[in-house]
Amino acid sequence: RNMLTPLIVYAMLAVAAWNLSGDEGGQAYAQVHENFYRRAKQFVEDAMDEAHLRSVQGLLVLANYEALVGRWGTMWNHTTMARRLAEGIIIRDTDFPWRGVQRGGYDFEYQRVLRAYWHSLINDIWAAVLMDKQVGGIEIALPPRPSHDFTYRSLRLEPADGTPGYRVVLAADALKDPRRGNTAAAGELFLLVGAINNAAYLFGHAGKRPTFETFIDLEMRLTEWYRGLPADVRLDDATVARFTATAARADLGEIISTHLFWNFARLLLMRMGLVLSLHDDPALLRNIYATKAFYTTDSRALQFYQATMPILTPDKAASYDQWLFHFCRCMSLQSAQNIVTLLKLGERHDVHPGHFGAGVNLPLVQVVSVSLGLVRSPDSQVVYTAVDHLATVTRTLLRLKHWFNTALLLLHLFLSMQDAQLILPPDPDPDASAIDPPPDPACPFPPNHLITELLRRLCISFEVFVNETIQAVRMSTPSKHRVDPCISPLLRHLPLQSQAALDAAASQEPDWFKYAPSYMRSAWKRLVRTYKSVDRTASSDIDEHHQA
């Protein structure tokens, strides 16, 4: 039925060419994907005038490309346009060309529109959270959730009898998709993410403090969402076995992504609760993990759900503020640990982190912020737990390279760890570290420095780590004359004090310069200039927003 419009075709070619440009020998595609993107944009106005399901799909594919290359503002515009178009089609309830394709009362076309709407809503909320903006239209009556999930592996096209074109035939397993219920569950979750983001936005930008009742209500809604997950979306042994028994690694990645964002939502909520309990300036929202009150904790807080832990209940606390801080800190540590466990689950079952979707960069930013605070803890077990978190995130970033513009997040992590005071205490479990490879003798940092320990766990040399970071940043930067501001939204979620420390570090050469060859010193300076240029872009965006 001619669902492949020029907008969809050119947007798909742009995504494909961009992915190929990152491979070895893919330099020929470096400008091709941009040309395809420009052609696709020429058909956006036609899509808006047509207001058809294929218009929604085309805008979502176009937004997918823009998420990959970091055109965040344009991506947000197109996800919002796709959401409005899909909502209009649902309300109008007309122009469904495949009305006759049903199985047991299941309206294939209507469900496709519902899925398109909820995917556009999910992307719309994610873009707003990333851009640190308020999410609109989530407190009103929304279209129904899709009752089924399916993939195009579950249907086929057959020649139509006596008429031009094709007819759609549903396969026998069309309604038995292994991810059944994931779209509806993810949609419900992102509505909660939007509500938490709006409360944090009003708190941080307008000084409107959420009430304690609002905080508890959001926490209970998150808990109820998790308890009500469909069986096919739960990450238990049976679900993992069902996916890994086949080649459905991408489907398992979608399920992991849903759980990643549930923990991300908890981190957003607990961060706000920490600041509320301290009755402090809302500006502390970005810096709360770097405060001494947060990282001065012991290893028992990492096992919050264990019955043996002496939990501080409200009746035993000196005040509700003390209990709230204790509760939010424990939940923050637990959520960060859960995200790392999910990343390791993907590694164990050979799921590429690209299957987690573009939204994976926000959970990674939160884990980096939490862990860079915890490495300063007086408890050595907490410190080495944070080191394990940073190693897992770094390994994920190295696998993603320039995907979803996480390259400069890797650079930020590398620059943040230049602090000479990040000397680690003795490992509380020396037997576990004895089987790991020894530290890289060529590493210019002391043997007990955070970077040295991180590289030892990653089993790579310092030179390889620097070169991998340089290559990732180079691939994510269109040209040496223009620094892509794609990372600027991520900077809004990182601690401000880390950027201040980098300002001081950038004004003088690091100590390890005297050990490094000239090409590495010049590469380091290029990376710092890239980061500082992007950092200024982010700061100016924030200043303009405050003035507005």
Side-chain angles (χ1 to χ4, degrees):
R1 302 290 180 137
N2 193 26
M3 293 299 290
L4 290 179
T5 62
L7 173 59
I8 296 179
V9 171
Y10 283 119
M12 291 172 63
L13 289 172
V15 172
W18 183 90
N19 282 308
L20 290 172
S21 67
D23 297 336
E24 292 186 10
Q27 292 82 2
Y29 297 95
Q31 296 299 325
V32 175
H33 63 84
E34 181 72 19
N35 294 334
F36 283 138
Y37 171 66
R38 291 173 182 170
R39 292 293 300 274
K41 287 188 68 176
Q42 296 175 4
F43 298 96
V44 169
E45 186 175 350
D46 294 339
M48 295 299 296
D49 291 339
E50 186 183 31
H52 191 278
L53 174 60
R54 52 178 170 252
S55 305
V56 179
Q57 293 174 324
L59 289 170
L60 289 177
V61 177
L62 193 64
N64 181 25
Y65 170 82
E66 290 158 347
L68 291 171
V69 300
R71 300 177 184 272
W72 304 116
T74 311
M75 179 205 69
W76 192 18
N77 289 338
H78 287 153
T79 56
T80 303
M81 291 161 62
R83 175 184 168 188
R84 299 305 182 201
L85 278 177
E87 191 173 42
I89 296 172
I90 292 170
I91 294 173
R92 191 171 67 246
D93 196 26
T94 59
D95 197 23
F96 291 153
W98 296 344
R99 273 292 184 188
V101 183
Q102 296 188 8
R103 182 183 295 275
Y106 171 72
D107 192 321
F108 174 73
E109 178 71 5
Y110 185 63
Q111 290 294 322
R112 290 180 73 228
V113 176
L114 290 180
R115 275 175 56 88
Y117 172 81
W118 281 95
H119 277 294
S120 61
L121 174 67
I122 289 169
N123 283 277
D124 194 24
I125 294 175
W126 168 71
V129 175
L130 180 71
M131 300 292 288
D132 193 24
K133 304 293 185 182
Q134 200 168 4
V135 184
I138 60 173
E139 303 295 338
I140 60 176
L142 297 170
R145 282 61 168 164
S147 59
H148 293 81
D149 285 271
F150 57 87
T151 66
Y152 287 98
R153 294 190 297 269
S154 303
L155 55 96
R156 64 181 184 273
L157 298 177
E158 292 186 352
D161 296 333
T163 58
Y166 297 87
R167 62 188 181 94
V168 180
V169 178
L170 297 181
D173 59 346
L175 304 186
K176 298 179 181 179
D177 189 275
R179 304 163 303 159
R180 178 172 177 175
N182 188 54
T183 300
E188 294 282 358
L189 174 61
F190 270 83
L191 289 176
L192 283 172
V193 171
I196 296 170
N197 174 77
N198 286 352
Y201 180 88
L202 292 174
F203 183 33
H205 295 274
K208 184 178 179 181
R209 300 174 66 87
T211 63
F212 182 75
E213 290 77 10
T214 300
F215 174 85
I216 294 298
D217 176 65
L218 290 171
E219 161 60 20
M220 292 179 66
R221 288 168 64 186
L222 277 174
T223 303
E224 288 302 316
W225 177 89
Y226 190 82
R227 290 177 177 174
L229 272 179
D232 290 343
V233 187
R234 291 187 175 276
L235 269 179
D236 51 22
D237 293 340
T239 301
V240 174
R242 187 174 70 252
F243 284 109
T244 54
T246 64
R249 295 292 191 271
D251 294 340
L252 178 58
E254 288 189 29
I255 303 297
I256 292 176
S257 177
T258 300
H259 289 260
L260 283 172
F261 260 92
W262 180 73
N263 286 282
F264 168 74
R266 288 181 72 98
L267 278 169
L268 281 186
L269 181 61
M270 296 306 148
R271 185 179 65 174
M272 185 169 59
L274 287 167
V275 179
L276 286 174
S277 66
L278 296 175
H279 293 275
D280 214 320
D281 189 333
L284 192 62
L285 279 170
R286 286 181 61 176
N287 262 36
I288 186 63
Y289 303 131
T291 60
K292 191 174 182 179
F294 179 80
Y295 65 71
T296 305
T297 183
D298 57 41
S299 56
R300 292 176 299 174
L302 299 176
Q303 289 85 34
F304 182 79
Y305 292 116
Q306 292 186 2
T308 56
M309 178 188 171
I311 299 176
L312 182 66
T313 56
D315 59 311
K316 297 180 181 178
S319 64
Y320 271 101
D321 290 334
Q322 181 187 3
W323 170 82
L324 182 60
F325 185 86
H326 175 83
F327 174 79
C328 292
R329 180 173 62 182
C330 290
M331 290 294 98
S332 298
L333 300 178
Q334 188 71 42
S335 296
Q337 204 159 275
N338 289 344
I339 291 174
V340 171
T341 301
L342 291 167
L343 295 176
K344 290 181 178 179
L345 177 67
E347 291 178 359
R348 189 161 62 250
H349 295 290
D350 197 28
V351 179
H352 191 279
H355 292 314
F356 300 152
V360 72
N361 52 23
L362 284 176
L364 292 181
V365 164
Q366 291 298 315
V367 174
V368 166
S369 299
V370 171
S371 302
L372 285 177
L374 292 180
V375 292
R376 303 178 186 275
S377 171
D379 189 310
S380 59
Q381 186 172 343
V382 173
V383 171
Y384 280 90
T385 299
V387 172
D388 178 65
H389 292 179
L390 291 172
T392 304
V393 170
T394 305
R395 190 163 51 244
T396 303
L397 291 173
L398 289 173
R399 292 185 69 194
L400 284 170
K401 294 187 182 296
H402 64 314
W403 282 46
F404 314 133
N405 298 279
T406 53
L408 291 179
L409 177 57
L410 175 65
L411 174 60
H412 172 87
L413 183 59
F414 179 42
L415 296 178
S416 299
M417 294 186 300
Q418 298 293 313
D419 190 348
Q421 297 180 358
L422 288 177
I423 301 297
L424 304 179
D427 193 335
D429 188 8
D431 295 335
S433 59
I435 62 176
D436 291 330
D440 177 16
C443 183
F445 292 90
N448 54 347
H449 191 274
L450 173 60
I451 287 183
T452 309
E453 175 65 17
L454 194 64
L455 297 180
R456 186 178 67 83
R457 293 182 179 229
L458 294 172
C459 300
I460 61 175
S461 66
F462 179 75
E463 183 176 349
V464 170
F465 182 50
V466 173
N467 287 335
E468 286 286 335
T469 306
I470 293 170
Q471 182 183 5
V473 174
R474 184 177 296 158
M475 284 193 298
S476 65
T477 305
S479 70
K480 60 184 178 181
H481 303 293
R482 181 175 75 88
V483 175
D484 197 339
C486 57
I487 198 66
S488 59
L490 291 181
L491 291 179
R492 300 172 184 176
H493 299 268
L494 290 166
L496 287 169
Q497 62 91 26
S498 297
Q499 298 173 33
L502 290 175
D503 288 338
S507 62
Q508 56 185 358
E509 294 184 349
D511 292 337
W512 56 267
F513 260 37
K514 56 187 176 184
Y515 304 106
S518 59
Y519 81 90
M520 191 175 292
R521 292 199 297 269
S522 61
W524 162 265
K525 292 178 180 178
R526 286 201 310 272
L527 292 181
V528 172
R529 285 198 300 270
T530 299
Y531 184 92
K532 298 303 297 177
S533 178
V534 175
D535 192 9
R536 283 195 297 271
T537 303
S539 301
S540 63
D541 289 346
I542 295 173
D543 293 340
E544 291 175 3
H545 176 69
H546 281 307
Q547 292 173 3

CSV table of all heavy atoms in Angstrom, one decimal, residues 18 77 125 163 180 196 224 266 322 345 384 430-431 436 451 492:
chain,number,residue,atom,x,y,z
A,18,TRP,N,25.0,6.6,8.2
A,18,TRP,CA,25.7,7.1,9.4
A,18,TRP,C,26.4,6.0,10.1
A,18,TRP,O,27.5,6.1,10.6
A,18,TRP,CB,24.7,7.8,10.3
A,18,TRP,CG,25.4,8.4,11.5
A,18,TRP,CD1,25.9,9.7,11.7
A,18,TRP,CD2,25.6,7.8,12.8
A,18,TRP,NE1,26.4,9.8,12.9
A,18,TRP,CE2,26.2,8.7,13.6
A,18,TRP,CE3,25.3,6.5,13.3
A,18,TRP,CZ2,26.6,8.3,14.9
A,18,TRP,CZ3,25.6,6.2,14.6
A,18,TRP,CH2,26.3,7.1,15.4
A,77,ASN,N,11.5,18.4,18.1
A,77,ASN,CA,10.5,19.0,17.2
A,77,ASN,C,9.8,17.9,16.5
A,77,ASN,O,8.5,17.8,16.4
A,77,ASN,CB,11.0,20.0,16.2
A,77,ASN,CG,11.4,21.3,16.9
A,77,ASN,OD1,11.0,21.6,18.0
A,77,ASN,ND2,12.3,22.0,16.3
A,125,ILE,N,9.1,12.6,25.5
A,125,ILE,CA,9.4,12.8,26.9
A,125,ILE,C,10.9,12.6,27.2
A,125,ILE,O,11.6,13.4,27.9
A,125,ILE,CB,8.7,11.8,27.8
A,125,ILE,CG1,7.2,12.1,27.7
A,125,ILE,CG2,9.1,11.8,29.3
A,125,ILE,CD1,6.3,11.0,28.5
A,163,THR,N,-6.1,-7.2,-8.0
A,163,THR,CA,-5.8,-5.7,-7.8
A,163,THR,C,-4.3,-5.5,-7.7
A,163,THR,O,-3.6,-6.4,-7.2
A,163,THR,CB,-6.5,-5.3,-6.5
A,163,THR,OG1,-6.0,-6.1,-5.4
A,163,THR,CG2,-8.0,-5.4,-6.6
A,180,ARG,N,5.7,-8.9,24.4
A,180,ARG,CA,4.3,-8.5,24.5
A,180,ARG,C,4.1,-7.6,25.8
A,180,ARG,O,4.5,-8.1,26.9
A,180,ARG,CB,3.4,-9.7,24.6
A,180,ARG,CG,1.9,-9.3,24.8
A,180,ARG,CD,1.0,-10.5,24.7
A,180,ARG,NE,-0.4,-10.2,24.9
A,180,ARG,CZ,-1.4,-11.0,24.8
A,180,ARG,NH1,-1.2,-12.2,24.4
A,180,ARG,NH2,-2.6,-10.6,25.0
A,196,ILE,N,8.0,13.2,37.1
A,196,ILE,CA,9.2,13.4,38.0
A,196,ILE,C,10.0,14.6,37.4
A,196,ILE,O,10.5,15.5,38.1
A,196,ILE,CB,10.0,12.2,38.1
A,196,ILE,CG1,9.2,11.1,38.9
A,196,ILE,CG2,11.3,12.5,38.9
A,196,ILE,CD1,9.9,9.7,38.9
A,224,GLU,N,4.6,0.6,42.2
A,224,GLU,CA,3.4,-0.2,41.6
A,224,GLU,C,3.6,-0.5,40.2
A,224,GLU,O,3.2,-1.5,39.7
A,224,GLU,CB,2.2,0.7,41.8
A,224,GLU,CG,1.7,0.8,43.2
A,224,GLU,CD,1.4,-0.6,43.8
A,224,GLU,OE1,0.8,-1.5,43.1
A,224,GLU,OE2,1.8,-0.9,45.0
A,266,ARG,N,14.0,6.4,39.2
A,266,ARG,CA,14.2,6.4,40.6
A,266,ARG,C,15.4,7.3,41.0
A,266,ARG,O,15.3,8.0,42.0
A,266,ARG,CB,14.5,5.0,41.1
A,266,ARG,CG,13.3,4.1,41.1
A,266,ARG,CD,13.6,2.7,41.7
A,266,ARG,NE,13.9,2.7,43.1
A,266,ARG,CZ,13.0,2.4,44.0
A,266,ARG,NH1,11.8,2.0,43.7
A,266,ARG,NH2,13.3,2.5,45.3
A,322,GLN,N,15.9,13.6,58.3
A,322,GLN,CA,17.0,12.6,58.4
A,322,GLN,C,16.6,11.3,57.8
A,322,GLN,O,17.4,10.6,57.0
A,322,GLN,CB,17.4,12.4,59.9
A,322,GLN,CG,18.5,11.4,60.1
A,322,GLN,CD,18.7,11.1,61.5
A,322,GLN,OE1,18.0,11.6,62.4
A,322,GLN,NE2,19.8,10.3,61.8
A,345,LEU,N,24.4,-7.7,32.3
A,345,LEU,CA,23.6,-8.7,31.8
A,345,LEU,C,23.6,-8.6,30.3
A,345,LEU,O,23.7,-9.7,29.6
A,345,LEU,CB,22.1,-8.5,32.3
A,345,LEU,CG,21.1,-9.4,31.7
A,345,LEU,CD1,21.3,-10.8,32.2
A,345,LEU,CD2,19.7,-9.0,32.1
A,384,TYR,N,35.5,0.8,46.0
A,384,TYR,CA,35.7,-0.2,44.9
A,384,TYR,C,34.4,-0.7,44.2
A,384,TYR,O,34.5,-1.1,43.1
A,384,TYR,CB,36.5,-1.4,45.5
A,384,TYR,CG,38.0,-1.1,45.6
A,384,TYR,CD1,38.5,-0.6,46.7
A,384,TYR,CD2,38.8,-1.3,44.5
A,384,TYR,CE1,39.8,-0.2,46.8
A,384,TYR,CE2,40.1,-1.0,44.5
A,384,TYR,CZ,40.7,-0.5,45.7
A,384,TYR,OH,42.0,-0.1,45.8
A,430,PRO,N,41.8,-8.5,48.4
A,430,PRO,CA,43.0,-8.6,47.6
A,430,PRO,C,43.0,-9.9,46.8
A,430,PRO,O,43.7,-9.9,45.7
A,430,PRO,CB,44.1,-8.6,48.7
A,430,PRO,CG,43.4,-9.0,50.0
A,430,PRO,CD,42.0,-8.5,49.9
A,431,ASP,N,42.3,-10.9,47.2
A,431,ASP,CA,42.3,-12.2,46.4
A,431,ASP,C,41.7,-12.0,45.1
A,431,ASP,O,42.1,-12.5,44.1
A,431,ASP,CB,41.6,-13.3,47.2
A,431,ASP,CG,42.3,-13.6,48.5
A,431,ASP,OD1,43.5,-13.4,48.5
A,431,ASP,OD2,41.6,-14.1,49.4
A,436,ASP,N,43.6,-10.4,38.5
A,436,ASP,CA,43.6,-9.5,37.4
A,436,ASP,C,45.0,-9.2,36.9
A,436,ASP,O,46.0,-9.4,37.6
A,436,ASP,CB,42.9,-8.2,37.8
A,436,ASP,CG,41.4,-8.4,38.1
A,436,ASP,OD1,40.8,-9.3,37.5
A,436,ASP,OD2,40.9,-7.7,39.0
A,451,ILE,N,42.5,6.1,37.7
A,451,ILE,CA,42.7,5.7,36.2
A,451,ILE,C,43.5,4.5,36.1
A,451,ILE,O,43.1,3.6,35.2
A,451,ILE,CB,43.3,6.9,35.5
A,451,ILE,CG1,42.3,8.1,35.3
A,451,ILE,CG2,43.8,6.5,34.1
A,451,ILE,CD1,42.8,9.2,34.6
A,492,ARG,N,24.3,19.1,31.1
A,492,ARG,CA,23.4,19.7,32.0
A,492,ARG,C,23.0,18.7,33.2
A,492,ARG,O,22.5,19.1,34.2
A,492,ARG,CB,22.1,20.1,31.3
A,492,ARG,CG,22.3,21.1,30.2
A,492,ARG,CD,21.1,21.4,29.4
A,492,ARG,NE,21.3,22.3,28.3
A,492,ARG,CZ,20.5,22.6,27.4
A,492,ARG,NH1,19.3,22.1,27.4
A,492,ARG,NH2,20.8,23.5,26.4
